[in-house]
Amino acid sequence: MPLLLILWMVIIPDHILFVKCDSIKGPNFAAPAVYVLGDSLVDSGNNNALPTLAKANFLPYGSNFPTGPTGRFTNGKTVADFVAEFLGLPLIPPYLSLRGFAQANQPGLNYASGSCGILPETGKYIGQCLSFGEQVDLLQLTIELELPRLYETKEKLATYLSRSLFAVSIGSNDYINNYLQPIYDTRTRFSPQSFAKHLVDTLSLQLQRLYRLGARKIFAFEIGPIGCIPSIARNIKHSGQCVEDINGWVLLFNDQLSWLLKNLSSQLPGSNFTLGRIHGLAYDIAKNPSAYGLRDTSNPCCTTWANGTSACILGLPPCPDPNKHYFWDGFHLTEAVYKVVAESCIWNSSICSPNSIKELVTV
C-alpha cells in the first residue's frame, strides 16, 4: 500500500502557553465564510470524487463523526471543522461535492485534497489529486463565475471576500509523497535547504494569487514534525521516538514560511497573513501526552495496512478510546488532537501569530 498522506503536527518550545477551553464554540464574528485549501489534514471529501487510492470514505474513518464516513482522514472533525464551528458557520462542504455551485449565505468551500502538495507532481503516483495550484484555480472559478451571481456589485463581493477567512494547510506531502520517495529525483536535485526554499517560493506565488482574487485574511499552518508519524518513524532506522533529521528538514520550511508571511503582510496593502505555529505544539503533545489528556502517542488507533504505517483497513473496528490516542492511522491525527490544535490557534496569539483566529476575524 503506497504512502497516502501526512499530518500536521509540529514543534514549539516547552514554555508554550496552551489555552484550554471547555467549548470551542464562540460568537459569530465578522467572518461570513471560510475557504479551505490544503491536503488530507483538512480534506472534507474532495478525494471521494477522484480516482485515487487516497480515500477515507469508509469505516473506520468517520467513526466519531455525526454522519459517519465523509472522506475526512480521521475519526471525527478536522481543525477546519472546529474553526467553522467557532465562527458559528456550518461545516464547510467539499468543492467537488457541489462542483463549485455557490449558494446564498455561502459559508465557504473546501478545496483540500489528500496526497497532494505545493508542487504539482507531489502525490500523483497515488492517483489523481488537486495540487495547491489546482485548488487556487478552482477557487478562482468560484470567485469569478459563481459568487458574482450572489452579489449585486463588485464592491459587495470584494467586501465579502475581504471579511472571509482563507485557511491553508499544505506542504507535508511534498516531503512524504515526494522528497522522501525514491520514485522522485527530488533529493538528487535539491538539498534540504534548497528544497524548502523551492517550496516556499512556489507557495508564495499562489498566496499572492489569493490576494489578487480578493483574499485579505489568510492563515497558513506550518508543517508538523512528520518525523514522528508512524509511516516514517517505523520505516526509517533511528533512535528515540521521532526521526529528528526529517523534523529538521521541515523546520527549514517553517522558518522560511514565517518570513514569507511577514513580507507579504508588509507588501500587500490591507492583507493580514497569520502563521499557524503548530509544529511545536504538536511535538509537545507527542512528547507530553498526559498534559493533554492523551495516553498513546506511538500506535495508530485503527488497524492499518503495513504494521501501523499506512491507511486504516476497511471495516475493522478502531481502538475503544480514540480520545486517548494521538494517531488515528499511519499518517493522521485523531479528532482529539485536532481539537487541541484548533482551540490553541483560535484563542492564543502565540500559536497563531501575529493574530489568533479570534483576533484575525475582527481586524
Side-chain angles (χ1 to χ4, degrees):
M1 188 76 173
L3 281 175
L4 292 183
L5 316 152
I6 31 232
L7 57 55
W8 65 231
M9 321 171 295
V10 284
I11 283 181
I12 276 177
D14 291 338
H15 61 268
I16 281 180
L17 172 62
F18 171 69
V19 178
K20 178 68 176 175
C21 55
D22 294 331
S23 175
I24 201 164
K25 294 184 179 180
N28 192 341
F29 292 109
V34 179
Y35 289 88
V36 182
L37 303 100
D39 51 34
S40 59
L41 299 174
V42 289
D43 186 350
S44 60
N46 283 306
N47 273 27
N48 296 349
L50 299 174
T52 175
L53 293 173
K55 291 183 183 290
N57 55 346
F58 56 87
L59 287 171
Y61 291 102
S63 297
N64 303 107
F65 195 81
T67 59
T70 60
R72 289 167 171 81
F73 290 80
T74 183
N75 60 306
K77 297 172 183 175
T78 68
V79 169
D81 295 325
F82 286 121
V83 170
E85 283 190 342
F86 172 76
L87 296 173
L89 297 171
L91 299 188
I92 311 304
Y95 173 88
L96 292 183
S97 71
L98 302 177
R99 295 295 175 183
F101 179 69
Q103 306 173 51
N105 301 315
Q106 180 75 40
L109 285 169
N110 186 317
Y111 302 85
S113 179
S115 79
C116 258
I118 297 169
L119 302 180
E121 67 272 20
T122 290
K124 293 299 177 76
Y125 70 97
I126 296 171
Q128 185 181 352
C129 59
L130 303 174
S131 69
F132 191 66
E134 291 170 325
Q135 293 176 40
V136 178
D137 290 342
L138 295 176
L139 175 62
Q140 182 171 352
L141 291 177
T142 301
I143 292 173
E144 294 181 350
L145 299 181
E146 290 290 333
L147 289 177
R149 302 175 186 177
L150 306 179
Y151 293 90
E152 298 173 358
T153 66
K154 291 183 179 180
E155 290 74 18
K156 289 183 178 181
L157 174 57
T159 298
Y160 162 83
L161 292 171
S162 69
R163 293 171 55 213
S164 297
L165 295 186
F166 292 79
V168 176
S169 175
I170 199 77
S172 298
N173 286 324
D174 293 291
Y175 288 91
I176 295 179
N177 290 339
N178 187 328
Y179 198 66
L180 292 171
Q181 291 298 319
I183 63 173
Y184 291 94
D185 66 351
T186 321
R187 287 179 70 181
T188 65
R189 295 188 293 117
F190 295 97
S191 67
Q193 293 84 355
S194 62
F195 185 65
K197 184 178 186 303
H198 179 47
L199 290 180
V200 171
D201 288 346
T202 305
L203 179 62
S204 176
L205 297 175
Q206 299 301 335
L207 294 180
Q208 291 176 66
R209 282 184 67 196
L210 290 182
Y211 176 83
R212 291 195 298 271
L213 289 170
R216 293 296 180 267
K217 299 179 180 182
I218 301 169
F219 62 96
F221 291 102
E222 294 176 330
I223 296 176
I226 58 174
C228 301
I229 65 176
S231 64
I232 289 179
R234 295 189 179 193
N235 284 324
I236 296 178
K237 188 175 181 180
H238 68 287
S239 59
Q241 182 178 353
C242 306
V243 184
E244 299 297 356
D245 286 346
I246 293 178
N247 285 341
W249 294 351
V250 300
L251 286 175
L252 296 172
F253 170 90
N254 291 341
D255 287 344
Q256 294 188 47
L257 176 63
S258 176
W259 282 108
L260 169 65
L261 298 185
K262 290 177 182 177
N263 288 338
L264 291 177
S265 289
S266 65
Q267 295 170 8
L268 300 177
S271 67
N272 289 277
F273 286 87
T274 285
L275 176 64
R277 299 179 181 276
I278 46 85
H279 188 103
L281 172 60
Y283 191 83
D284 189 59
I285 299 172
K287 293 292 187 178
N288 303 288
S290 61
Y292 301 89
L294 301 178
R295 189 168 51 238
D296 190 322
T297 60
S298 299
N299 302 297
C301 177
C302 74
T303 302
T304 81
W305 301 99
N307 188 34
T309 64
S310 191
C312 299
I313 298 176
L314 172 66
L316 293 186
C319 65
D321 194 356
N323 286 332
K324 297 297 182 182
H325 272 252
Y326 189 87
F327 294 108
W328 172 248
D329 61 13
F331 304 91
H332 305 95
L333 307 179
T334 59
E335 177 187 75
V337 179
Y338 287 141
K339 184 177 182 182
V340 171
V341 171
E343 288 178 342
S344 299
C345 199
I346 287 169
W347 299 103
N348 193 338
S349 60
S350 69
I351 301 297
C352 276
S353 67
N355 298 299
S356 67
I357 291 175
K358 178 180 179 294
E359 294 167 339
L360 183 62
V361 297
T362 60
V363 295

